[in-house]
């Protein structure tokens, strides 16, 4: 049972982070805070992939000649790291586009509050 | 229109720091084969150095380092380098992005792949740097236009 | 209304905790993602990359080798995506010629 919780503690931390992000996106009325919530959610997904790549008693995925014969159990899984490297850059791009849209919304409505904008759109 | 910092200490220290940040970024791009690093990380560092200048010494002096109007063009240029390496491999007789067929004589295929990775990383680095600066410039300017 | 949303959020969290109970523990070398051969009998991707990346690309850093060589198309699309993001931000925030608001 203890082994189970030690092995799964990282997942619970990620679920907490995901729920915090989702809570920000659902309950906050300010669009900028919603965007911050989305970024927290993206970070939780990235952490989930990185956790899946971890291996005990293994080193970073850069080949070390001192370790001798290549054994896959000596290096952590490089594939999730590669995928998340690209995901981080995409998250930067989406954040930039979202901020541009927020600037346009603020210019037109003079507010970023969801309720006020819905009121003004009628 | 970026508001520059009023403190002379901040401006001087950041002006002192920027060349070292850029040198480290070049190292991260070029040494990505042998240590953690690569085009994305080095490009982000290069872009961050220019953004530091934009924030501390103001827009006019930092335009001398990297002009605002080049942001979008350079990001297109980075993507072009990447795609051109792929087309060069096709000219050498291979598939698209198959670096072992790059038309450079006298290098064995594994080393040729290493070289192709370096070219691609340089393209990615230029693209990421220019896109970061372009997005920042557009966002900083957008609020004050009418 | 707000109560229902909180209950839904909590239910989602409980569902996620239930889902992770089937996931393997963190960090064991024999997890499915780290296996030498997949369930279908084909060679596992990660083990193949670790064994052959240096041999095939002369690049000790496996992440770079996968990013730029094995998954070159992926990274090309990636670079195009950030380029498109830059263009879109420019198009959203540009100054309209006829002075009309966006």
């Amino acid at each position: 049972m203890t082994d189970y919780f030690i092995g799964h503690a990282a997942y619970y931390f990620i679920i907490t982070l995901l729920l915090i992000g989702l809570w920000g996106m659902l309950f906050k009325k300010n669009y900028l805070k919603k965007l911050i919530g989305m970024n927290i959610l993206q970070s939780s997904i990235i952490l989930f992939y990185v956790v899946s790549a971890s291996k005990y008693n293994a080193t970073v995925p850069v080949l070390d000649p001192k370790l001798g014969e290549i054994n896959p159990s000596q290096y952590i899984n490089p594939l999730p790291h590669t995928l998340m490297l690209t995901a981080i850059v995409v998250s930067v791009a989406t954040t930039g586009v979202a901020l541009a849209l927020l600037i346009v919304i603020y210019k037109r409505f003079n507010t970023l509050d969801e309720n006020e904008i819905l009121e003004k759109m009628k | 229109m970026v508001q520059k910092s009023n403190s002379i200490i901040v401006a001087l220290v950041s002006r002192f720091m920027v060349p070292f940040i850029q040198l480290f970024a070049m190292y991260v791009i070029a040494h990505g084969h042998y240590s953690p690093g690569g085009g994305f990380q080095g490009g982000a560092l290069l872009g961050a150095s220019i953004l530091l200048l934009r924030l501390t010494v103001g827009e006019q002096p930092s335009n001398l380092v990297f002009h605002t109007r080049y942001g979008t063009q350079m990001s297109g240029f980075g993507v072009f380098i990447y795609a051109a390496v792929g087309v060069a491999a096709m000219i050498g007789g291979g598939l698209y992005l198959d670096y072992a067929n790059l038309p450079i004589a006298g290098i064995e295929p594994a080393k040729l792949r290493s070289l192709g990775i370096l070219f691609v990383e340089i393209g990615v680095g230029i693209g990421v740097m220019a896109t970061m600066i372009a997005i920042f410039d557009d966002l900083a300017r957008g609020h004050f236009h009418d | 209304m707000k109560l229902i949303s909180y209950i839904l959020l909590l239910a989602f969290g409980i569902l996620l905790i239930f889902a992770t109970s089937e996931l393997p523990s963190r960090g064991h070398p024999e997890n499915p993602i780290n296996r030498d051969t997949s369930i279908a009998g084909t060679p596992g991707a990660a083990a193949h990359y670790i064994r052959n990346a240096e041999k095939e690309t002369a690049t000790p850093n496996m992440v770079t080798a996968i990013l730029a060589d094995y998954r070159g198309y992926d990274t090309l699309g990636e670079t195009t995506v950030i380029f498109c993001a830059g263009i879109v931000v420019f198009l959203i925030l540009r100054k309209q010629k006829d002075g009309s608001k966006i």
Side-chain angles (χ1 to χ4, degrees):
Chain A
M1 200 64 192
T2 327
D3 279 353
Y4 177 84
F5 275 109
I6 289 174
H8 285 64
Y11 296 132
Y12 300 142
F13 173 72
I14 288 162
I15 289 169
T16 316
L17 210 58
L18 192 143
L19 288 181
I20 289 172
L22 206 60
W23 171 80
M25 287 174 77
L26 284 176
F27 290 99
K28 289 291 171 188
K29 293 298 175 199
N30 192 317
Y31 279 146
L32 198 57
K33 290 177 183 172
K34 277 181 194 288
L35 181 61
I36 293 171
M38 193 182 85
N39 271 323
I40 295 174
L41 201 147
Q42 280 175 338
S43 310
S44 78
I45 302 298
I46 289 168
L47 277 176
F48 178 66
Y49 270 75
V50 171
V51 162
S52 80
S54 68
K55 237 182 241 180
Y56 288 131
N57 298 324
T59 180
V60 290
V62 179
L63 210 69
D64 192 352
K66 283 180 200 142
L67 289 179
E69 189 71 21
I70 302 170
N71 186 2
S73 68
Q74 282 171 338
Y75 300 98
I76 58 172
N77 198 334
L79 192 53
H81 287 256
T82 311
L83 297 176
M84 287 310 105
L85 192 59
T86 57
I88 289 170
V89 180
V90 164
S91 88
V92 170
T94 52
T95 309
V97 174
L99 284 174
L101 288 173
L102 285 187
I103 286 177
V104 173
I105 289 171
Y106 189 82
K107 263 201 276 188
R108 183 184 276 195
F109 294 106
N110 272 321
T111 177
L112 283 179
D113 192 90
E114 191 182 26
N115 292 332
E116 284 182 43
I117 288 171
L118 287 176
E119 198 65 33
K120 283 183 184 174
M121 276 169 77
K122 275 178 189 166
Chain B
M1 179 78 71
V2 187
Q3 284 283 313
K4 69 169 183 176
S5 163
N6 285 322
S7 165
I8 188 151
I9 296 174
V10 171
L12 275 177
V13 169
S14 67
R15 271 164 60 192
F16 174 76
M17 292 274 291
V18 162
F20 293 103
I21 297 175
Q22 285 172 343
L23 193 67
F24 181 62
M26 304 281 184
Y27 165 77
V28 166
I29 292 179
H31 209 253
H33 290 59
Y34 306 102
S35 66
F40 287 112
Q41 297 94 322
L45 273 170
L46 272 177
S49 70
I50 306 285
L51 297 193
L52 183 65
L53 272 186
R54 288 259 201 284
L55 287 172
T56 51
V57 301
E59 195 168 3
Q60 292 296 337
S62 67
N63 272 348
L64 299 175
V65 181
F66 192 96
H67 199 281
T68 307
R69 77 168 81 98
Y70 295 139
T72 319
Q73 301 169 6
M74 288 281 280
S75 65
F77 182 62
V79 181
F80 171 76
I81 289 179
Y82 200 130
V85 172
V87 173
M90 278 172 89
I91 291 171
L95 297 170
Y96 189 64
L97 286 175
D98 189 2
Y99 311 128
N101 294 302
L102 283 177
I104 302 171
I107 309 179
E108 53 181 301
K111 299 272 184 202
L112 211 50
R113 281 185 186 277
S114 183
L115 202 62
I117 290 174
L118 180 63
F119 289 150
V120 160
E121 296 275 14
I122 288 171
V124 168
I126 291 174
V128 170
M129 172 196 77
T131 309
M132 271 181 71
I133 297 169
I135 289 179
F136 175 83
D137 284 341
D138 288 337
L139 289 178
R141 210 176 331 116
H143 187 70
F144 294 94
H145 270 215
D146 258 326
Chain C
M1 191 60 209
K2 205 157 190 177
L3 190 68
I4 297 174
S5 303
Y6 272 114
I7 290 171
L8 276 176
L9 198 63
L10 204 66
F12 186 56
I14 291 169
L15 182 72
L16 283 178
I17 289 175
F18 176 69
T20 52
S21 67
E22 288 293 317
L23 285 179
S25 284
R26 181 179 77 90
H28 288 299
E30 59 270 15
N31 281 350
I33 192 169
N34 298 328
R35 269 184 207 153
D36 251 357
T37 50
S38 67
I39 303 163
T42 52
H48 178 267
Y49 289 145
I50 290 171
R51 281 214 182 86
N52 298 322
E54 215 272 336
K55 219 180 298 168
E56 288 173 359
T57 64
T59 305
N61 189 349
M62 297 156 203
V63 173
T64 305
I66 297 172
L67 182 82
D69 197 333
Y70 291 103
R71 290 184 174 259
Y73 263 115
D74 195 1
T75 313
L76 177 63
E78 177 81 21
T79 321
T80 316
V81 163
I82 58 169
F83 169 63
C84 287
I87 294 285
V88 164
V89 171
F90 171 70
L91 289 178
I92 289 173
L93 292 175
R94 74 188 158 150
K95 201 174 178 181
Q96 303 310 96
K97 258 202 179 119
D98 51 353
S100 65
K101 290 212 168 174
I102 314 159

